[in-house]
Amino acid sequence: NRYDWVLRINPDAIIRNDNWILRTMRNESIDAILARCPLPEKNGEYPVHTDFFGFRPSAMPQDSFTAHEALSAETNAAVEFRKIIQANRHAWLPNVRHFKHLCRIIGIASPVIHNHWQVSKCKKGRLTGGGAADHELYASYEEGMRDATRFMAEKGRQQ
């Protein structure tokens, strides 16, 4: 396999501290880094966050993530990682908290967060490389994401 690890992260999720993640990736007895959603399914299994996860491709079947019933992304992820979880070859992302009952990674000490209001705290220009004044903040998540999307589209056209 060409890759030791694959990390999947939402565009609006942020790795705040990679120390634990990198240390865990070096542990040969760990094949996946996951975060558990707050509420179990009817079968007792917890859905797995899709805001962020990492896995060793060598530990996954060749046809992983290819076809499922119309389940939620988090339930599908739990199905895909079931064997790794049952074999206890996973590590749960530490210090994860949840916003109410939503399956979204937050937490002041979590190494990864997915929070829609974080981008509104970014200084204009810093998020996208633009030249706006450093003291201007995005008024909302939507404004920041529109600016970032516009920047990425322009960057793609230049290449």
Side-chain angles (χ1 to χ4, degrees):
N1 202 320
R2 289 185 2 192
Y3 301 102
D4 293 333
W5 279 85
V6 172
L7 296 180
R8 192 262 176 232
I9 185 167
N10 277 9
D12 55 355
I14 298 168
I15 296 176
R16 296 193 311 189
N17 184 337
D18 65 359
N19 291 333
W20 181 88
I21 295 167
L22 293 171
R23 191 171 53 251
T24 303
M25 289 170 68
R26 287 189 290 270
N27 183 336
E28 292 297 321
S29 68
I30 300 296
D31 290 329
I33 298 171
L34 310 170
R36 191 166 59 185
C37 292
L39 300 175
E41 298 285 348
K42 290 177 183 161
N43 66 4
E45 282 187 346
Y46 283 84
V48 172
H49 278 280
T50 56
D51 300 348
F52 169 88
F53 60 77
F55 63 92
R56 292 181 196 273
S58 60
M60 300 292 286
Q62 196 74 18
D63 63 347
S64 295
F65 300 101
T66 55
H68 285 286
E69 302 170 28
L71 303 172
S72 72
E74 291 76 16
T75 301
N76 283 341
V79 169
E80 293 293 346
F81 292 117
R82 181 179 289 144
K83 288 182 181 173
I84 290 173
I85 294 169
Q86 289 172 344
N88 202 29
R89 294 194 53 85
H90 67 291
W92 295 117
L93 198 63
N95 305 310
V96 170
R97 301 291 177 263
H98 298 95
F99 180 69
K100 300 183 181 177
H101 64 281
L102 298 176
C103 192
R104 183 170 299 143
I105 297 174
I106 61 173
I108 196 160
S110 175
V112 177
I113 59 167
H114 174 197
N115 99 29
H116 289 184
W117 55 91
Q118 187 73 29
V119 75
S120 68
K121 303 297 183 234
C122 291
K123 293 181 177 181
K124 285 188 179 182
R126 300 277 174 131
L127 179 66
T128 63
D134 275 355
H135 65 277
E136 294 181 70
L137 295 178
Y138 289 106
S140 67
Y141 167 79
E142 290 78 15
E143 180 189 5
M145 290 307 289
R146 271 193 308 271
D147 199 17
T149 302
R150 193 169 33 253
F151 172 75
M152 293 308 291
E154 289 170 11
K155 191 172 185 176
R157 282 193 295 272
Q158 293 171 0
Q159 295 178 351

